Amino acid sequence: MLIRYKKSCEKIAMGLLSFMPLERNIKKLRQTMQDYEENPACQLFMWKKGEDFIGMIGIQTNGPVFTVRHISVMPSYRGEGVGQTMLEKIQEQMEPLEMHALEETRPFIDVYKEKRKAFDR
């Protein structure tokens, strides 16, 4: 289930964000969290399975598009389609905005878009 980030989940969100290669530095990680908390165009969502948060996705809206800035899944849940499901749910939630990616999220987003194209055929 996709849930909007709350300050009470800050440590969990920081842990999930730290799996992103460019977010391993604690200063950078804190700045990123501050962006999500203070910038209304930036939104962070957590993926909950049962009682545990196992993934997160961060986006930034800009006019008719939204950009996936971050996407991360706990290592023990990788390969189970959690990331793809998060992308599907965020796309549904952000419609009619078009999904874009940053360089570091592009490979994952491209796989999602290819699978979606194949399914739509």
Side-chain angles (χ1 to χ4, degrees), residues 84 109-121:
Q84 297 293 314
I109 303 302
D110 287 348
V111 168
Y112 167 75
K113 286 183 176 182
E114 284 301 315
K115 285 182 179 179
R116 194 165 169 192
K117 262 192 224 174
F119 183 75
D120 290 342
R121 290 182 196 160

Side-chain angles (χ1 to χ4, degrees), residues 58-100:
I59 63 167
Q60 183 169 358
T61 57
N62 185 11
V65 303
F66 72 96
T67 302
V68 177
R69 295 177 59 200
H70 300 94
I71 186 162
S72 179
V73 176
M74 300 249 327
S76 58
Y77 288 91
R78 291 182 186 163
E80 295 181 15
V82 174
Q84 297 293 314
T85 303
M86 284 194 297
L87 288 171
E88 182 180 303
K89 296 299 181 187
I90 202 73
Q91 179 69 67
E92 289 173 7
Q93 192 162 349
M94 300 309 295
E95 281 183 349
L97 303 182
E98 182 180 334
M99 182 187 302
H100 287 220

